[in-house]
Amino acid sequence: TASFYAAKEALGMGYRDFYLCGCTGGERPEHTFANISLMLYLAHHGAKCVMEGERELYRVISGPCKLEFFDGQGYFSAFSLSESTEGVTMHGFEYETRSITMRSDVPLGVSNSFKNEICTLEISKGDLLVIWEK
């Protein structure tokens, strides 16, 4: 895709922070999926990428990684993009986990919510898609 080509060129120029907007929804859901794949590619190459939809933010992380959320509202979901994502710890959410393994064929991380002012998500190995619905 044109987005993939542009991101690959930007990586080659040394960029490591990416923000994608206008890349979700619409009549072509395969483009949203292609951009999630692009985010995975960027994560595998040491880059950070956030993709914004109409009411949600997407992020793909690769382990080891830790994210913090401040004053979160809305719903939070996490899905394994690799066959398994290990050491998934979610603290401060309605449904907390402690060092579990999430699998790509089990949608365990759907529709969680923020419980505390500061919430953390940590993984040790694998790839995770994070969706924050505001």
Side-chain angles (χ1 to χ4, degrees), residues 5-80:
Y5 178 77
K8 196 172 173 184
E9 287 294 309
L11 274 175
M13 290 188 260
Y15 289 93
R16 292 296 175 262
D17 292 315
F18 294 81
Y19 191 83
L20 303 176
C21 39
C23 297
T24 66
E27 296 178 19
R28 307 280 306 273
E30 64 271 23
H31 287 270
T32 300
F33 189 79
N35 287 316
I36 291 169
S37 294
L38 166 59
M39 293 172 63
L40 181 61
Y41 177 85
L42 290 169
H44 284 176
H45 286 82
K48 173 185 159 187
C49 182
V50 174
M51 181 169 66
E52 184 173 4
E54 284 187 35
R55 295 178 315 218
E56 66 282 333
L57 294 173
Y58 298 79
R59 174 105 187 258
V60 172
I61 58 173
S62 291
C65 186
K66 182 178 182 178
L67 297 178
E68 293 184 331
F69 301 87
F70 301 92
D71 298 321
Q73 296 180 13
Y75 290 101
F76 173 89
S77 296
F79 303 99
S80 181

Side-chain angles (χ1 to χ4, degrees), residues 92-112:
F93 295 94
E94 181 74 25
Y95 302 103
E96 294 189 335
T97 63
R98 182 170 296 152
S99 197
I100 66 167
T101 297
M102 294 180 73
R103 296 178 40 89
S104 60
D105 60 352
V106 179
L108 179 65
V110 71
S111 295
N112 205 339

